[in-house]
Amino acid sequence: MSDVFKERLFEGRTAVVTGGGSGINLRVAERFAEHGAHVALIGRTKEKLDAAVESIRSSGGSASAHPCDVREFKTMEAVMADVHASRGDIDVLVCGAAGNFPAPAAAMSSNGFKAVLDIDVLGTFNAARAAFDRLRKPGSIVINISAPQAFIPYPMQAHVCAAKAGVDMLTRTLALEWGPLGVRVVSVSPGPIDDTEGMRRLCPTDESRARVTDAMPLRSFGTRDDIANLCLFVASPAGRYITGSVLLCDGGMSLLGGGTMLGV
Ligand code: COA
């Protein structure tokens, strides 16, 4: 598909993407790189980050790898300081690192629940907090990758529902506090997006995929490009008046209720 955005929107800018080594977050990072930004990728697995950086560079983009667990604040601070020292103020921070596994609440260990809360909520706070002093003011944006679980109860997703609700409230609170400084904060909430780890876990069979597409208002999965283009738009000058919003990009899935995805 030809690029719907005609101009290179982020020439000379810096974007930091947590969880940027794969999936939706990698595609978001690639889109910012395609539009001229240097993208700093944060993730736990060095090999994944190195492969992503290599691929972005081979397409003519600028990228760097920063292995780090978003749950560790001191390391996150060191990464943000590094990025700032080499690239200047951060224009875009995408908090995409997340954890998920389907499990009924009654069989979930307290530690399993905590692992997801720590990655999603604490990890998002850590990234935003560690980046704060280095964000361009005015003019930067924090994009938190959320999920429909934030406002629709899903069976087998007690941890993710609690975590993403927390992420969306963090979005709103930070938008309120940081708006006067010219820092916008939004959530982007993807529905069922093809070719992602989340979908492979939640919809592992042809049968479960068909159940989802048959029920979806738009009768299809989304693509990683759908989410990346929304992030590009909202971070661009065209999105300048949007803050504190939870932007759904879900093919209408949130209109259906939580059982659709899991067939219960
Ligand atoms: N079912 C039930 N419990 C599970 C589980 C599963 N499929 N996977 C992990 N857990 C539990 C573990 O048993 C452990 O609890 P315990 O100590 O009581 O046994 C706890 O979760 C932490 O697991 P661990 O693997 O040590 O944590 P981690 O921090 O390395 O991993 C997870 C985090 C749990 C989110 C893991 O699923 C993960 O890393 N996923 C990859 C990223 C991902 O989920 N991507 C999809 C995004 S939509």
Side-chain angles (χ1 to χ4, degrees):
M1 188 174 71
S2 66
D3 200 331
V4 293
F5 301 100
K6 301 295 180 203
E7 287 176 36
R8 272 161 72 88
L9 295 166
F10 294 92
E11 202 69 68
R13 303 288 176 163
T14 299
V16 177
V17 182
T18 75
S22 61
I24 291 174
N25 302 318
L26 173 56
R27 189 62 196 123
V28 171
E30 288 169 349
R31 285 298 276 145
F32 280 102
E34 286 161 16
H35 276 266
H38 172 83
V39 290
L41 306 180
I42 294 175
R44 270 194 293 177
T45 316
K46 183 176 183 309
E47 296 69 33
K48 274 205 290 193
L49 296 179
D50 286 344
V53 164
E54 180 56 35
S55 148
I56 289 171
R57 286 184 182 161
S58 70
S59 306
S62 171
S64 52
H66 306 269
C68 169
D69 189 323
V70 292
R71 291 171 284 193
E72 292 163 14
F73 183 68
K74 279 198 178 331
T75 330
M76 285 295 285
E77 259 202 317
V79 166
M80 297 299 176
D82 258 14
V83 172
H84 189 255
S86 58
R87 296 284 161 183
D89 285 353
I90 296 167
D91 297 283
V92 179
L93 169 65
V94 180
C95 300
N100 194 359
F101 55 84
M108 192 183 291
S109 74
S110 170
N111 200 39
F113 186 87
K114 181 176 183 298
V116 171
L117 266 287
D118 280 355
I119 298 168
D120 291 22
V121 184
L122 183 64
T124 298
F125 176 79
N126 282 348
R129 178 68 184 83
F132 178 72
D133 287 341
R134 289 119 186 156
L135 291 174
R136 187 179 304 285
K137 303 182 194 73
S140 56
I141 184 167
V142 177
I143 301 174
N144 296 327
I145 305 297
S146 185
Q149 284 94 323
F151 56 95
I152 301 172
Y154 277 69
M156 320 276 279
Q157 293 278 275
H159 45 357
V160 177
C161 289
K164 293 301 192 181
V167 167
D168 283 354
M169 282 310 287
L170 200 50
T171 291
R172 296 182 179 106
T173 313
L174 297 184
L176 200 59
E177 291 193 13
W178 296 357
L181 302 169
V183 177
R184 295 184 295 123
V185 186
V186 301
S187 282
V188 162
S189 183
I193 303 299
D194 229 349
D195 197 19
T196 59
E197 177 66 23
M199 271 316 101
R200 281 188 281 276
R201 286 177 187 226
L202 293 176
C203 276
T205 63
D206 286 348
E207 189 196 355
S208 54
R209 285 178 60 84
R211 188 176 59 239
V212 171
T213 46
D214 287 352
M216 289 287 294
L218 289 184
R219 294 289 188 271
S220 66
F221 281 80
T223 67
R224 298 188 303 141
D225 268 355
D226 292 325
I227 305 304
N229 284 330
L230 175 55
C231 291
L232 214 53
F233 157 73
V234 76
S236 80
R240 60 170 285 279
Y241 204 52
I242 302 172
T243 196
S245 308
V246 176
L247 304 168
L248 308 187
C249 185
D250 70 351
M253 187 184 75
S254 53
L255 306 171
L256 300 173
T260 318
M261 187 66 71
L262 295 155
V264 289

